[in-house]
Amino acid sequence: MSEKIFRSGFVSIVGRPNVGKSTLLNRILGEKLMITSDKPQTTRNRIKGIHNVPDGQIVFLDTPGIHRAKTRLNKFMVEEALSSVQGVDLILFLVDGAFDPEKEAAMIKEVLSGVEAPVILVLNKIDLIAKGDLLGRMAAYGETYPFKEIIPVSAASGDGVEQLVQLVHGLLPEGPCYFPDDILTDVPERFIVAEIIREKIFRLTHDEVPYSVAVVVDSFKERETGVVAIQATINVERDSQKGIVIGRKGEMLKKIGTQARQEIERLLDTKVFLELFVRVSGEWSDNSRMLKEFGYES
């Protein structure tokens, strides 16, 4: 009886902002690793999510949404996404099923121009599409690019996700186990903690505030009691944004801290003491030095 082939490789998940890339990866991993919100441009960095399957390991790359960049931060985000289609074994191109395929055609062709890896088009949010429209949309997308497969899924409900994972695994080459089978990502806990805090700001504040926030973990120490003491700074661009993040009598900052602490405790499986500070770092999103300091430029 022949031995089964161990398949492994790197798979980029790309697409416009807010099409469900992070939600899909969280669903595949079975854990909330990537932060999500209903606001576009939530994901800023390229993050690896490691998924082990029988006879294989899939290393997914969650990427920022592809959009028209204006600030240095936005340019960094788009570069992170576009560079991820090179040097990988497979690409998942995610689209919102409600979008008009004809309006997406130019962007798809531009992003995938010169790409050598096979591409699977993932038609997400199929729970929002009338069943009679699904096949027509799949056919329309099939005319935009020679996709290896077109797979309809709902990242929110999980419909079609297992079939997608099986397809991905089958298309990967024979290869090694790149990471230990007991880890979900290669990013440090400090990074995930900062992202959790930023997610709570996204969910609890409104308008321009979330897009002007950068969170830096200043201190991460485990005490003899087992409690993890964390100090983090929330950087905003204007005094008015600082006021919104702090809130009346500090109520908003307290709410952000409470929700973030509870999720960090679940992540670390221990008690956490979280202390948050808010600082005005004027126009940091267009400042090369600050972007490097906050981890957004190599």
Side-chain angles (χ1 to χ4, degrees), residues 10-48:
F10 293 79
V11 180
S12 285
I13 306 175
V14 299
R16 288 190 187 275
N18 222 32
V19 294
K21 297 182 296 296
S22 296
T23 302
L24 175 63
L25 185 49
N26 286 338
R27 173 68 65 176
I28 291 171
L29 298 177
E31 296 282 349
K32 183 185 172 185
L33 178 61
M34 314 302 170
I35 69 170
T36 61
S37 83
D38 59 358
K39 298 179 176 67
Q41 301 174 30
T42 302
T43 300
R44 290 177 177 170
N45 300 77
R46 186 171 53 194
I47 304 169
K48 293 186 182 75

PDB file of all heavy atoms in Angstrom, residues 10-48:
ATOM      1  N   PHE A  10       2.023  27.681   0.816  1.00  0.00           N
ATOM      2  CA  PHE A  10       1.590  29.007   1.238  1.00  0.00           C
ATOM      3  C   PHE A  10       0.468  29.497   0.321  1.00  0.00           C
ATOM      4  O   PHE A  10       0.578  29.426  -0.904  1.00  0.00           O
ATOM      5  CB  PHE A  10       2.771  29.972   1.205  1.00  0.00           C
ATOM      6  CG  PHE A  10       3.823  29.647   2.246  1.00  0.00           C
ATOM      7  CD1 PHE A  10       4.740  28.630   2.028  1.00  0.00           C
ATOM      8  CD2 PHE A  10       3.856  30.336   3.450  1.00  0.00           C
ATOM      9  CE1 PHE A  10       5.687  28.309   2.989  1.00  0.00           C
ATOM     10  CE2 PHE A  10       4.799  30.020   4.415  1.00  0.00           C
ATOM     11  CZ  PHE A  10       5.720  29.004   4.185  1.00  0.00           C
ATOM     12  N   VAL A  11      -0.604  29.979   0.953  1.00  0.00           N
ATOM     13  CA  VAL A  11      -1.815  30.365   0.224  1.00  0.00           C
ATOM     14  C   VAL A  11      -2.206  31.788   0.619  1.00  0.00           C
ATOM     15  O   VAL A  11      -2.527  32.051   1.778  1.00  0.00           O
ATOM     16  CB  VAL A  11      -2.978  29.400   0.537  1.00  0.00           C
ATOM     17  CG1 VAL A  11      -4.230  29.810  -0.224  1.00  0.00           C
ATOM     18  CG2 VAL A  11      -2.588  27.963   0.208  1.00  0.00           C
ATOM     19  N   SER A  12      -2.172  32.701  -0.337  1.00  0.00           N
ATOM     20  CA  SER A  12      -2.558  34.089  -0.064  1.00  0.00           C
ATOM     21  C   SER A  12      -4.055  34.286  -0.241  1.00  0.00           C
ATOM     22  O   SER A  12      -4.647  33.764  -1.192  1.00  0.00           O
ATOM     23  CB  SER A  12      -1.819  35.050  -1.000  1.00  0.00           C
ATOM     24  OG  SER A  12      -0.481  35.195  -0.627  1.00  0.00           O
ATOM     25  N   ILE A  13      -4.647  35.030   0.688  1.00  0.00           N
ATOM     26  CA  ILE A  13      -6.054  35.411   0.584  1.00  0.00           C
ATOM     27  C   ILE A  13      -6.099  36.888   0.263  1.00  0.00           C
ATOM     28  O   ILE A  13      -5.684  37.735   1.074  1.00  0.00           O
ATOM     29  CB  ILE A  13      -6.807  35.139   1.901  1.00  0.00           C
ATOM     30  CG1 ILE A  13      -6.621  33.685   2.344  1.00  0.00           C
ATOM     31  CG2 ILE A  13      -8.289  35.456   1.747  1.00  0.00           C
ATOM     32  CD1 ILE A  13      -7.242  33.373   3.700  1.00  0.00           C
ATOM     33  N   VAL A  14      -6.555  37.252  -0.938  1.00  0.00           N
ATOM     34  CA  VAL A  14      -6.551  38.647  -1.370  1.00  0.00           C
ATOM     35  C   VAL A  14      -7.942  39.059  -1.836  1.00  0.00           C
ATOM     36  O   VAL A  14      -8.804  38.225  -2.115  1.00  0.00           O
ATOM     37  CB  VAL A  14      -5.519  38.893  -2.496  1.00  0.00           C
ATOM     38  CG1 VAL A  14      -4.105  38.569  -2.025  1.00  0.00           C
ATOM     39  CG2 VAL A  14      -5.857  38.057  -3.736  1.00  0.00           C
ATOM     40  N   GLY A  15      -8.133  40.377  -1.926  1.00  0.00           N
ATOM     41  CA  GLY A  15      -9.412  40.910  -2.368  1.00  0.00           C
ATOM     42  C   GLY A  15      -9.590  42.331  -1.876  1.00  0.00           C
ATOM     43  O   GLY A  15      -8.713  42.887  -1.214  1.00  0.00           O
ATOM     44  N   ARG A  16     -10.727  42.908  -2.190  1.00  0.00           N
ATOM     45  CA  ARG A  16     -11.034  44.267  -1.742  1.00  0.00           C
ATOM     46  C   ARG A  16     -11.221  44.302  -0.224  1.00  0.00           C
ATOM     47  O   ARG A  16     -11.398  43.256   0.415  1.00  0.00           O
ATOM     48  CB  ARG A  16     -12.320  44.770  -2.408  1.00  0.00           C
ATOM     49  CG  ARG A  16     -12.201  45.096  -3.883  1.00  0.00           C
ATOM     50  CD  ARG A  16     -13.444  45.811  -4.348  1.00  0.00           C
ATOM     51  NE  ARG A  16     -13.479  46.019  -5.779  1.00  0.00           N
ATOM     52  CZ  ARG A  16     -12.907  47.039  -6.419  1.00  0.00           C
ATOM     53  NH1 ARG A  16     -12.239  47.935  -5.721  1.00  0.00           N
ATOM     54  NH2 ARG A  16     -12.997  47.142  -7.731  1.00  0.00           N
ATOM     55  N   PRO A  17     -11.245  45.508   0.359  1.00  0.00           N
ATOM     56  CA  PRO A  17     -11.568  45.613   1.790  1.00  0.00           C
ATOM     57  C   PRO A  17     -12.981  45.103   2.067  1.00  0.00           C
ATOM     58  O   PRO A  17     -13.887  45.226   1.239  1.00  0.00           O
ATOM     59  CB  PRO A  17     -11.464  47.122   2.066  1.00  0.00           C
ATOM     60  CG  PRO A  17     -10.597  47.665   0.984  1.00  0.00           C
ATOM     61  CD  PRO A  17     -10.898  46.829  -0.225  1.00  0.00           C
ATOM     62  N   ASN A  18     -13.142  44.494   3.234  1.00  0.00           N
ATOM     63  CA  ASN A  18     -14.470  44.145   3.748  1.00  0.00           C
ATOM     64  C   ASN A  18     -15.203  43.062   2.951  1.00  0.00           C
ATOM     65  O   ASN A  18     -16.429  42.998   2.989  1.00  0.00           O
ATOM     66  CB  ASN A  18     -15.364  45.398   3.829  1.00  0.00           C
ATOM     67  CG  ASN A  18     -16.184  45.424   5.115  1.00  0.00           C
ATOM     68  OD1 ASN A  18     -15.752  44.930   6.149  1.00  0.00           O
ATOM     69  ND2 ASN A  18     -17.370  45.983   5.048  1.00  0.00           N
ATOM     70  N   VAL A  19     -14.444  42.208   2.251  1.00  0.00           N
ATOM     71  CA  VAL A  19     -15.101  41.106   1.541  1.00  0.00           C
ATOM     72  C   VAL A  19     -15.134  39.830   2.383  1.00  0.00           C
ATOM     73  O   VAL A  19     -15.715  38.829   1.965  1.00  0.00           O
ATOM     74  CB  VAL A  19     -14.436  40.820   0.170  1.00  0.00           C
ATOM     75  CG1 VAL A  19     -14.623  41.987  -0.772  1.00  0.00           C
ATOM     76  CG2 VAL A  19     -12.965  40.462   0.340  1.00  0.00           C
ATOM     77  N   GLY A  20     -14.469  39.860   3.563  1.00  0.00           N
ATOM     78  CA  GLY A  20     -14.553  38.719   4.467  1.00  0.00           C
ATOM     79  C   GLY A  20     -13.301  37.865   4.545  1.00  0.00           C
ATOM     80  O   GLY A  20     -13.372  36.693   4.951  1.00  0.00           O
ATOM     81  N   LYS A  21     -12.150  38.420   4.194  1.00  0.00           N
ATOM     82  CA  LYS A  21     -10.907  37.622   4.200  1.00  0.00           C
ATOM     83  C   LYS A  21     -10.560  37.137   5.608  1.00  0.00           C
ATOM     84  O   LYS A  21     -10.267  35.949   5.816  1.00  0.00           O
ATOM     85  CB  LYS A  21      -9.750  38.463   3.635  1.00  0.00           C
ATOM     86  CG  LYS A  21      -9.947  38.882   2.180  1.00  0.00           C
ATOM     87  CD  LYS A  21      -8.784  39.663   1.630  1.00  0.00           C
ATOM     88  CE  LYS A  21      -8.565  40.987   2.310  1.00  0.00           C
ATOM     89  NZ  LYS A  21      -9.688  41.938   2.114  1.00  0.00           N
ATOM     90  N   SER A  22     -10.576  38.043   6.578  1.00  0.00           N
ATOM     91  CA  SER A  22     -10.235  37.658   7.950  1.00  0.00           C
ATOM     92  C   SER A  22     -11.294  36.734   8.550  1.00  0.00           C
ATOM     93  O   SER A  22     -10.973  35.795   9.289  1.00  0.00           O
ATOM     94  CB  SER A  22     -10.070  38.908   8.826  1.00  0.00           C
ATOM     95  OG  SER A  22      -8.984  39.692   8.374  1.00  0.00           O
ATOM     96  N   THR A  23     -12.551  36.989   8.232  1.00  0.00           N
ATOM     97  CA  THR A  23     -13.632  36.122   8.721  1.00  0.00           C
ATOM     98  C   THR A  23     -13.463  34.705   8.176  1.00  0.00           C
ATOM     99  O   THR A  23     -13.656  33.716   8.900  1.00  0.00           O
ATOM    100  CB  THR A  23     -15.004  36.685   8.308  1.00  0.00           C
ATOM    101  OG1 THR A  23     -15.144  38.014   8.837  1.00  0.00           O
ATOM    102  CG2 THR A  23     -16.136  35.811   8.824  1.00  0.00           C
ATOM    103  N   LEU A  24     -13.087  34.599   6.904  1.00  0.00           N
ATOM    104  CA  LEU A  24     -12.870  33.280   6.303  1.00  0.00           C
ATOM    105  C   LEU A  24     -11.726  32.553   6.992  1.00  0.00           C
ATOM    106  O   LEU A  24     -11.851  31.365   7.338  1.00  0.00           O
ATOM    107  CB  LEU A  24     -12.569  33.427   4.815  1.00  0.00           C
ATOM    108  CG  LEU A  24     -12.193  32.124   4.089  1.00  0.00           C
ATOM    109  CD1 LEU A  24     -13.357  31.134   4.115  1.00  0.00           C
ATOM    110  CD2 LEU A  24     -11.751  32.412   2.660  1.00  0.00           C
ATOM    111  N   LEU A  25     -10.621  33.249   7.227  1.00  0.00           N
ATOM    112  CA  LEU A  25      -9.478  32.579   7.845  1.00  0.00           C
ATOM    113  C   LEU A  25      -9.793  32.169   9.279  1.00  0.00           C
ATOM    114  O   LEU A  25      -9.417  31.074   9.715  1.00  0.00           O
ATOM    115  CB  LEU A  25      -8.242  33.481   7.800  1.00  0.00           C
ATOM    116  CG  LEU A  25      -6.946  32.838   8.300  1.00  0.00           C
ATOM    117  CD1 LEU A  25      -6.720  31.471   7.665  1.00  0.00           C
ATOM    118  CD2 LEU A  25      -5.766  33.749   8.037  1.00  0.00           C
ATOM    119  N   ASN A  26     -10.480  33.018  10.020  1.00  0.00           N
ATOM    120  CA  ASN A  26     -10.896  32.627  11.372  1.00  0.00           C
ATOM    121  C   ASN A  26     -11.769  31.377  11.340  1.00  0.00           C
ATOM    122  O   ASN A  26     -11.652  30.492  12.196  1.00  0.00           O
ATOM    123  CB  ASN A  26     -11.652  33.773  12.050  1.00  0.00           C
ATOM    124  CG  ASN A  26     -10.744  34.909  12.485  1.00  0.00           C
ATOM    125  OD1 ASN A  26      -9.545  34.726  12.664  1.00  0.00           O
ATOM    126  ND2 ASN A  26     -11.314  36.087  12.665  1.00  0.00           N
ATOM    127  N   ARG A  27     -12.662  31.305  10.366  1.00  0.00           N
ATOM    128  CA  ARG A  27     -13.545  30.142  10.230  1.00  0.00           C
ATOM    129  C   ARG A  27     -12.717  28.888   9.929  1.00  0.00           C
ATOM    130  O   ARG A  27     -12.953  27.823  10.509  1.00  0.00           O
ATOM    131  CB  ARG A  27     -14.551  30.396   9.101  1.00  0.00           C
ATOM    132  CG  ARG A  27     -15.416  29.203   8.728  1.00  0.00           C
ATOM    133  CD  ARG A  27     -16.376  28.808   9.796  1.00  0.00           C
ATOM    134  NE  ARG A  27     -17.364  29.851  10.040  1.00  0.00           N
ATOM    135  CZ  ARG A  27     -18.386  29.726  10.893  1.00  0.00           C
ATOM    136  NH1 ARG A  27     -18.529  28.597  11.590  1.00  0.00           N
ATOM    137  NH2 ARG A  27     -19.235  30.718  11.071  1.00  0.00           N
ATOM    138  N   ILE A  28     -11.737  28.997   9.054  1.00  0.00           N
ATOM    139  CA  ILE A  28     -10.905  27.852   8.704  1.00  0.00           C
ATOM    140  C   ILE A  28     -10.097  27.382   9.905  1.00  0.00           C
ATOM    141  O   ILE A  28      -9.987  26.177  10.179  1.00  0.00           O
ATOM    142  CB  ILE A  28      -9.962  28.204   7.531  1.00  0.00           C
ATOM    143  CG1 ILE A  28     -10.771  28.397   6.245  1.00  0.00           C
ATOM    144  CG2 ILE A  28      -8.900  27.122   7.342  1.00  0.00           C
ATOM    145  CD1 ILE A  28      -9.964  28.950   5.085  1.00  0.00           C
ATOM    146  N   LEU A  29      -9.518  28.345  10.645  1.00  0.00           N
ATOM    147  CA  LEU A  29      -8.671  27.998  11.787  1.00  0.00           C
ATOM    148  C   LEU A  29      -9.473  27.487  12.974  1.00  0.00           C
ATOM    149  O   LEU A  29      -8.934  26.804  13.845  1.00  0.00           O
ATOM    150  CB  LEU A  29      -7.839  29.216  12.214  1.00  0.00           C
ATOM    151  CG  LEU A  29      -6.849  29.762  11.180  1.00  0.00           C
ATOM    152  CD1 LEU A  29      -6.164  31.008  11.722  1.00  0.00           C
ATOM    153  CD2 LEU A  29      -5.817  28.712  10.800  1.00  0.00           C
ATOM    154  N   GLY A  30     -10.753  27.847  13.028  1.00  0.00           N
ATOM    155  CA  GLY A  30     -11.571  27.457  14.170  1.00  0.00           C
ATOM    156  C   GLY A  30     -11.291  28.280  15.404  1.00  0.00           C
ATOM    157  O   GLY A  30     -11.731  27.950  16.500  1.00  0.00           O
ATOM    158  N   GLU A  31     -10.537  29.357  15.230  1.00  0.00           N
ATOM    159  CA  GLU A  31     -10.195  30.271  16.321  1.00  0.00           C
ATOM    160  C   GLU A  31     -10.234  31.691  15.784  1.00  0.00           C
ATOM    161  O   GLU A  31      -9.982  31.926  14.599  1.00  0.00           O
ATOM    162  CB  GLU A  31      -8.782  29.984  16.857  1.00  0.00           C
ATOM    163  CG  GLU A  31      -8.605  28.632  17.504  1.00  0.00           C
ATOM    164  CD  GLU A  31      -9.171  28.573  18.913  1.00  0.00           C
ATOM    165  OE1 GLU A  31      -9.513  29.646  19.450  1.00  0.00           O
ATOM    166  OE2 GLU A  31      -9.258  27.461  19.461  1.00  0.00           O
ATOM    167  N   LYS A  32     -10.509  32.643  16.690  1.00  0.00           N
ATOM    168  CA  LYS A  32     -10.458  34.039  16.274  1.00  0.00           C
ATOM    169  C   LYS A  32      -9.025  34.529  16.400  1.00  0.00           C
ATOM    170  O   LYS A  32      -8.568  34.908  17.476  1.00  0.00           O
ATOM    171  CB  LYS A  32     -11.394  34.904  17.116  1.00  0.00           C
ATOM    172  CG  LYS A  32     -11.394  36.345  16.618  1.00  0.00           C
ATOM    173  CD  LYS A  32     -12.208  37.252  17.492  1.00  0.00           C
ATOM    174  CE  LYS A  32     -12.003  38.683  17.047  1.00  0.00           C
ATOM    175  NZ  LYS A  32     -12.672  39.639  17.935  1.00  0.00           N
ATOM    176  N   LEU A  33      -8.324  34.503  15.284  1.00  0.00           N
ATOM    177  CA  LEU A  33      -6.942  34.977  15.259  1.00  0.00           C
ATOM    178  C   LEU A  33      -6.855  36.369  14.634  1.00  0.00           C
ATOM    179  O   LEU A  33      -6.120  37.229  15.102  1.00  0.00           O
ATOM    180  CB  LEU A  33      -6.079  33.996  14.460  1.00  0.00           C
ATOM    181  CG  LEU A  33      -4.612  34.348  14.294  1.00  0.00           C
ATOM    182  CD1 LEU A  33      -3.916  34.423  15.648  1.00  0.00           C
ATOM    183  CD2 LEU A  33      -3.924  33.331  13.394  1.00  0.00           C
ATOM    184  N   MET A  34      -7.640  36.583  13.575  1.00  0.00           N
ATOM    185  CA  MET A  34      -7.626  37.869  12.877  1.00  0.00           C
ATOM    186  C   MET A  34      -8.769  38.741  13.382  1.00  0.00           C
ATOM    187  O   MET A  34      -9.883  38.265  13.573  1.00  0.00           O
ATOM    188  CB  MET A  34      -7.790  37.655  11.364  1.00  0.00           C
ATOM    189  CG  MET A  34      -6.905  36.562  10.809  1.00  0.00           C
ATOM    190  SD  MET A  34      -5.150  36.849  11.109  1.00  0.00           S
ATOM    191  CE  MET A  34      -4.472  35.264  10.608  1.00  0.00           C
ATOM    192  N   ILE A  35      -8.497  40.025  13.579  1.00  0.00           N
ATOM    193  CA  ILE A  35      -9.559  40.919  14.030  1.00  0.00           C
ATOM    194  C   ILE A  35     -10.482  41.233  12.864  1.00  0.00           C
ATOM    195  O   ILE A  35     -10.083  41.239  11.707  1.00  0.00           O
ATOM    196  CB  ILE A  35      -9.002  42.211  14.665  1.00  0.00           C
ATOM    197  CG1 ILE A  35      -8.329  43.119  13.610  1.00  0.00           C
ATOM    198  CG2 ILE A  35      -8.018  41.884  15.768  1.00  0.00           C
ATOM    199  CD1 ILE A  35      -7.976  44.501  14.129  1.00  0.00           C
ATOM    200  N   THR A  36     -11.745  41.469  13.182  1.00  0.00           N
ATOM    201  CA  THR A  36     -12.735  41.765  12.154  1.00  0.00           C
ATOM    202  C   THR A  36     -13.618  42.917  12.613  1.00  0.00           C
ATOM    203  O   THR A  36     -13.747  43.200  13.796  1.00  0.00           O
ATOM    204  CB  THR A  36     -13.638  40.542  11.876  1.00  0.00           C
ATOM    205  OG1 THR A  36     -14.348  40.194  13.073  1.00  0.00           O
ATOM    206  CG2 THR A  36     -12.809  39.349  11.413  1.00  0.00           C
ATOM    207  N   SER A  37     -14.241  43.573  11.651  1.00  0.00           N
ATOM    208  CA  SER A  37     -15.271  44.563  11.946  1.00  0.00           C
ATOM    209  C   SER A  37     -16.048  44.801  10.661  1.00  0.00           C
ATOM    210  O   SER A  37     -15.669  44.308   9.593  1.00  0.00           O
ATOM    211  CB  SER A  37     -14.657  45.886  12.446  1.00  0.00           C
ATOM    212  OG  SER A  37     -14.231  46.691  11.363  1.00  0.00           O
ATOM    213  N   ASP A  38     -17.132  45.572  10.766  1.00  0.00           N
ATOM    214  CA  ASP A  38     -17.913  45.863   9.568  1.00  0.00           C
ATOM    215  C   ASP A  38     -17.353  47.060   8.813  1.00  0.00           C
ATOM    216  O   ASP A  38     -17.915  47.501   7.830  1.00  0.00           O
ATOM    217  CB  ASP A  38     -19.383  46.105   9.927  1.00  0.00           C
ATOM    218  CG  ASP A  38     -19.566  47.263  10.901  1.00  0.00           C
ATOM    219  OD1 ASP A  38     -18.554  47.862  11.326  1.00  0.00           O
ATOM    220  OD2 ASP A  38     -20.721  47.566  11.249  1.00  0.00           O
ATOM    221  N   LYS A  39     -16.208  47.587   9.280  1.00  0.00           N
ATOM    222  CA  LYS A  39     -15.567  48.717   8.606  1.00  0.00           C
ATOM    223  C   LYS A  39     -14.448  48.193   7.711  1.00  0.00           C
ATOM    224  O   LYS A  39     -13.732  47.269   8.068  1.00  0.00           O
ATOM    225  CB  LYS A  39     -14.987  49.695   9.635  1.00  0.00           C
ATOM    226  CG  LYS A  39     -16.035  50.323  10.552  1.00  0.00           C
ATOM    227  CD  LYS A  39     -15.365  51.259  11.545  1.00  0.00           C
ATOM    228  CE  LYS A  39     -16.395  51.975  12.415  1.00  0.00           C
ATOM    229  NZ  LYS A  39     -17.108  51.049  13.310  1.00  0.00           N
ATOM    230  N   PRO A  40     -14.295  48.797   6.505  1.00  0.00           N
ATOM    231  CA  PRO A  40     -13.207  48.361   5.622  1.00  0.00           C
ATOM    232  C   PRO A  40     -11.849  48.744   6.189  1.00  0.00           C
ATOM    233  O   PRO A  40     -11.740  49.584   7.076  1.00  0.00           O
ATOM    234  CB  PRO A  40     -13.494  49.116   4.322  1.00  0.00           C
ATOM    235  CG  PRO A  40     -14.288  50.308   4.733  1.00  0.00           C
ATOM    236  CD  PRO A  40     -15.104  49.868   5.913  1.00  0.00           C
ATOM    237  N   GLN A  41     -10.808  48.104   5.645  1.00  0.00           N
ATOM    238  CA  GLN A  41      -9.409  48.382   6.010  1.00  0.00           C
ATOM    239  C   GLN A  41      -9.108  48.081   7.478  1.00  0.00           C
ATOM    240  O   GLN A  41      -8.289  48.747   8.105  1.00  0.00           O
ATOM    241  CB  GLN A  41      -9.046  49.845   5.677  1.00  0.00           C
ATOM    242  CG  GLN A  41      -9.220  50.190   4.207  1.00  0.00           C
ATOM    243  CD  GLN A  41      -9.014  51.655   3.907  1.00  0.00           C
ATOM    244  OE1 GLN A  41      -8.243  52.332   4.578  1.00  0.00           O
ATOM    245  NE2 GLN A  41      -9.703  52.157   2.909  1.00  0.00           N
ATOM    246  N   THR A  42      -9.785  47.058   8.019  1.00  0.00           N
ATOM    247  CA  THR A  42      -9.486  46.649   9.394  1.00  0.00           C
ATOM    248  C   THR A  42      -8.110  45.991   9.460  1.00  0.00           C
ATOM    249  O   THR A  42      -7.308  46.284  10.338  1.00  0.00           O
ATOM    250  CB  THR A  42     -10.560  45.669   9.897  1.00  0.00           C
ATOM    251  OG1 THR A  42     -11.841  46.298   9.805  1.00  0.00           O
ATOM    252  CG2 THR A  42     -10.311  45.283  11.342  1.00  0.00           C
ATOM    253  N   THR A  43      -7.842  45.073   8.520  1.00  0.00           N
ATOM    254  CA  THR A  43      -6.545  44.396   8.494  1.00  0.00           C
ATOM    255  C   THR A  43      -5.505  45.313   7.871  1.00  0.00           C
ATOM    256  O   THR A  43      -5.708  45.851   6.782  1.00  0.00           O
ATOM    257  CB  THR A  43      -6.635  43.086   7.681  1.00  0.00           C
ATOM    258  OG1 THR A  43      -7.601  42.231   8.291  1.00  0.00           O
ATOM    259  CG2 THR A  43      -5.293  42.378   7.629  1.00  0.00           C
ATOM    260  N   ARG A  44      -4.362  45.467   8.544  1.00  0.00           N
ATOM    261  CA  ARG A  44      -3.300  46.347   8.045  1.00  0.00           C
ATOM    262  C   ARG A  44      -2.029  45.595   7.680  1.00  0.00           C
ATOM    263  O   ARG A  44      -1.256  46.068   6.860  1.00  0.00           O
ATOM    264  CB  ARG A  44      -2.973  47.416   9.094  1.00  0.00           C
ATOM    265  CG  ARG A  44      -4.083  48.447   9.268  1.00  0.00           C
ATOM    266  CD  ARG A  44      -3.733  49.433  10.366  1.00  0.00           C
ATOM    267  NE  ARG A  44      -4.760  50.472  10.500  1.00  0.00           N
ATOM    268  CZ  ARG A  44      -4.799  51.346  11.492  1.00  0.00           C
ATOM    269  NH1 ARG A  44      -3.872  51.315  12.443  1.00  0.00           N
ATOM    270  NH2 ARG A  44      -5.763  52.247  11.541  1.00  0.00           N
ATOM    271  N   ASN A  45      -1.785  44.481   8.333  1.00  0.00           N
ATOM    272  CA  ASN A  45      -0.550  43.719   8.095  1.00  0.00           C
ATOM    273  C   ASN A  45      -0.861  42.375   7.449  1.00  0.00           C
ATOM    274  O   ASN A  45      -1.969  41.868   7.561  1.00  0.00           O
ATOM    275  CB  ASN A  45       0.191  43.452   9.412  1.00  0.00           C
ATOM    276  CG  ASN A  45       0.589  44.722  10.134  1.00  0.00           C
ATOM    277  OD1 ASN A  45      -0.228  45.376  10.757  1.00  0.00           O
ATOM    278  ND2 ASN A  45       1.864  45.055  10.067  1.00  0.00           N
ATOM    279  N   ARG A  46       0.134  41.817   6.809  1.00  0.00           N
ATOM    280  CA  ARG A  46       0.020  40.462   6.275  1.00  0.00           C
ATOM    281  C   ARG A  46       0.324  39.497   7.418  1.00  0.00           C
ATOM    282  O   ARG A  46       1.389  39.555   8.025  1.00  0.00           O
ATOM    283  CB  ARG A  46       1.012  40.269   5.129  1.00  0.00           C
ATOM    284  CG  ARG A  46       0.884  38.950   4.410  1.00  0.00           C
ATOM    285  CD  ARG A  46       1.738  38.939   3.156  1.00  0.00           C
ATOM    286  NE  ARG A  46       3.121  39.289   3.419  1.00  0.00           N
ATOM    287  CZ  ARG A  46       4.003  39.606   2.483  1.00  0.00           C
ATOM    288  NH1 ARG A  46       3.629  39.662   1.230  1.00  0.00           N
ATOM    289  NH2 ARG A  46       5.248  39.885   2.802  1.00  0.00           N
ATOM    290  N   ILE A  47      -0.613  38.613   7.713  1.00  0.00           N
ATOM    291  CA  ILE A  47      -0.501  37.739   8.883  1.00  0.00           C
ATOM    292  C   ILE A  47      -0.663  36.284   8.454  1.00  0.00           C
ATOM    293  O   ILE A  47      -1.571  35.961   7.678  1.00  0.00           O
ATOM    294  CB  ILE A  47      -1.588  38.103   9.921  1.00  0.00           C
ATOM    295  CG1 ILE A  47      -1.501  39.585  10.297  1.00  0.00           C
ATOM    296  CG2 ILE A  47      -1.455  37.238  11.170  1.00  0.00           C
ATOM    297  CD1 ILE A  47      -2.690  40.071  11.098  1.00  0.00           C
ATOM    298  N   LYS A  48       0.196  35.410   8.968  1.00  0.00           N
ATOM    299  CA  LYS A  48       0.097  33.990   8.642  1.00  0.00           C
ATOM    300  C   LYS A  48      -0.850  33.279   9.610  1.00  0.00           C
ATOM    301  O   LYS A  48      -0.795  33.492  10.816  1.00  0.00           O
ATOM    302  CB  LYS A  48       1.474  33.313   8.725  1.00  0.00           C
ATOM    303  CG  LYS A  48       2.475  33.766   7.681  1.00  0.00           C
ATOM    304  CD  LYS A  48       3.737  32.928   7.779  1.00  0.00           C
ATOM    305  CE  LYS A  48       4.792  33.391   6.775  1.00  0.00           C
ATOM    306  NZ  LYS A  48       5.434  34.654   7.200  1.00  0.00           N
TER     307      LYS A  48
END
